[in-house]
Amino acid sequence: GHHYSVYEARLDRLTVELNDGELHVDVEETPADDVADRFTDIWEDI
């Protein structure tokens, strides 16, 4: 049909460090939208 989905990355930063044999991974992401904001966005697209 004519249905489609839009996905948006929320990843701001990914840091990988290897120090003295230890691997450290740090992930920073954008907070998710409020449910009410997502509903408003969907409603406006209709």
Side-chain angles (χ1 to χ4, degrees), residues 3-35:
H3 301 283
Y4 63 92
S5 297
V6 176
Y7 298 93
E8 181 178 329
R10 294 183 11 213
L11 183 65
D12 284 335
R13 175 184 277 180
L14 175 67
T15 306
V16 180
E17 296 179 14
L18 182 59
N19 293 321
D20 297 326
E22 291 187 14
L23 181 66
H24 299 275
V25 179
D26 184 39
V27 178
E28 294 179 27
E29 61 183 88
T30 305
D33 292 336
D34 185 86
V35 175

